[in-house]
Amino acid sequence: SIKGKYGMHCAYYDDSIRQKLLDEQFILSNMKSALVNREFVVFFQPKYDLLDEKICSAEALVRWKHPERGLIPPNQFIQIFENNGFITELDLYVLEETCKWVRSWIDRGNPMIPVSVNISRADIFNSNLDAILLSLLKKYGLDPSHIHLEITESAYTENAEQMIHGIKQLKELGFVIEMDDFGSGYSSLNMLSELPIDVLKLDMRFVQNYDRSRDKRNIMSFVISLAKWMNLKVVAEGVETEEQVNLLKLLGCHWVQGFFYSKPLPLDAFETLIEQVNFSNTEYTLETAEGR
Ligand code: C2E
Ligand code: MG
Ligand code: MG
Ligand code: MG
């Protein structure tokens, strides 16, 4: 009966609401101890150069390894931390872990592999960020070009002026700036002219839906051309199939990241990978990319 259907619907609705509140409460009451207990772990997803399909860099992606609940993905807690300000503590933790591992890979004789770290809006508004980043680099003997900072496009929606100022400062320190999820928001094109961006990360919705939408394919093609005219590098995110790889090669995209090549890997698996494979030397540094 209709009544029965409504009844079930309501019950389901109530349960999902309660579940959501419980999770948020769980996250809020456990986040501090989780940081102290080192329950946040950094995974690394390699990025590949499309000219030789070898690894050229990687992205650090955080997960919460809870002793009872197992691996909790970032989309369940990042937003909550962005709302309550805890995100900066977490991001600095991820940054330090990343610096530490990059240092240890160099010390073990691996070629330098730049790693990008995700940075939130709140981090950029933290007036100490520059000093903290510099002291981390010093502590681990790294150059700012070893660490790329990924800033999601939606970060620019409010206080754009202040964001632009903060990012210019990071750029002046020598960090490589990547604009994450490019094309997912509203301000993309305007921001391109305002910001000292080095790399565009094409939002995965373009790559994953181009075969169903000629417009998406055209936009993808346009963004890659635009990036080249502006002397930027382009990374396509969420590449899952060989067809996508072939199209991106055809369009002249520089780098790719996605399950087709590798999922984000826990530290030991990533280390095994970089010890076994050859690195790309076609596009090793951004400086050598000029002539492409
Ligand atoms: P993002 O920075 O855009 O990262 C890319 C996301 O796409 C990652 O999800 C990655 O696992 C996923 N991905 C990579 N290749 C594929 C693919 O071929 N197919 C599909 N369907 N997905 C793919 P993840 O690791 O769950 O992270 C989600 C988001 O959480 C990130 O999106 C980023 O915005 C945020 N995040 C992750 N780690 C951190 C962090 O340390 N700090 C901050 N502030 N945000 C983080
Ligand atoms: Mg990212
Ligand atoms: Mg992204
Ligand atoms: Mg994102």
Side-chain angles (χ1 to χ4, degrees), residues 13 27 54 75 79 94 181 246:
Y13 184 72
I27 285 166
K54 288 178 181 168
N75 59 16
Q79 184 70 60
V94 171
D181 307 326
N246 289 336

Side-chain angles (χ1 to χ4, degrees), residues 59 61 118 150 180 201 237:
E59 176 173 10
L61 292 158
N118 291 284
E150 292 193 11
D180 210 347
K201 296 197 76 178
E237 290 190 272

